[in-house]
Amino acid sequence: MDFHILKPANGKHWQVFLIFISTFFMTLFDALFFNVFKHYKDAKSKKANQMATLYISILQVAILLVLGVFFAGFFNQMNMDTMSQDKAWFLSVLAAVFIFFKNWIQYAGRKRKVLNAKMLKKKGTNYSMVMLWLLPIACVVLALVILQAI
């Protein structure tokens, strides 16, 4: 296989990496969104879109919490004093509000319908709803364990 095609011409490998990561996570979150959406839609719930949007937002905020606590512990071990704890929590709350707003805009309306049509063609795997709801809980527990270790 010829991988030189994937090399950027201008030498900015980090941009290619960021595009790859953002594409990977967007498709992952889209798949999880539609799995939750399908579950609640099959249950004849009129609030299936709201529940799926809430789930994805909670999952992304939980992942953000784990990353934030991890990097706070890492910076603490490296004796780096970048910002106060109050400012870091305020920034985390702002990021959480942004995530909720972004998901509300992203999964409402035309884009959701287009993604729904794409997902129906794929016939993706169905995940257990218990396991899906345990993901954000596991992230919060992991964040608490890391926070206690700091």
Side-chain angles (χ1 to χ4, degrees):
M1 187 174 254
D2 197 14
F3 288 109
H4 75 278
I5 297 171
L6 298 176
K7 262 187 162 175
N10 55 5
K12 295 188 179 182
H13 299 286
W14 60 272
Q15 289 176 343
V16 173
F17 176 72
L18 288 177
I19 291 170
F20 171 75
I21 293 296
S22 65
T23 304
F24 172 75
F25 280 116
M26 284 302 118
T27 56
L28 174 70
F29 290 136
D30 290 343
L32 292 176
F33 172 84
F34 282 107
N35 203 334
V36 174
F37 179 76
K38 256 194 303 187
H39 173 77
Y40 286 111
K41 193 68 168 174
D42 292 343
K44 304 288 190 247
S45 175
K46 293 181 180 180
K47 298 190 181 242
N49 193 39
Q50 290 175 352
M51 290 297 292
T53 305
L54 179 69
Y55 170 76
I56 286 299
S57 298
I58 289 172
L59 179 64
Q60 289 176 347
V61 168
I63 291 171
L64 177 72
L65 177 68
V66 169
L67 289 173
V69 169
F70 172 77
F71 283 115
F74 177 74
F75 291 149
N76 189 21
Q77 290 291 324
M78 297 298 290
N79 295 324
M80 293 176 62
D81 193 21
T82 54
M83 73 172 68
S84 70
Q85 189 176 6
D86 293 334
K87 289 180 184 178
W89 282 111
F90 180 72
L91 188 62
S92 298
V93 169
L94 282 179
V97 169
F98 174 75
I99 286 172
F100 276 99
F101 183 72
K102 176 193 70 79
N103 287 335
W104 175 62
I105 294 295
Q106 181 177 0
Y107 293 117
R110 186 183 310 172
K111 183 168 183 175
R112 181 187 57 84
K113 290 179 184 178
V114 170
L115 287 172
N116 193 14
K118 286 181 183 178
M119 291 296 174
L120 288 177
K121 289 179 186 176
K122 281 186 179 181
K123 298 224 179 196
T125 59
N126 288 332
Y127 300 108
S128 166
M129 285 305 295
V130 174
M131 293 303 289
L132 288 177
W133 281 104
L134 283 177
L135 277 174
I137 294 170
C139 287
V140 170
V141 169
L142 182 62
L144 291 175
V145 167
I146 295 172
L147 191 61
Q148 292 297 320
I150 298 177

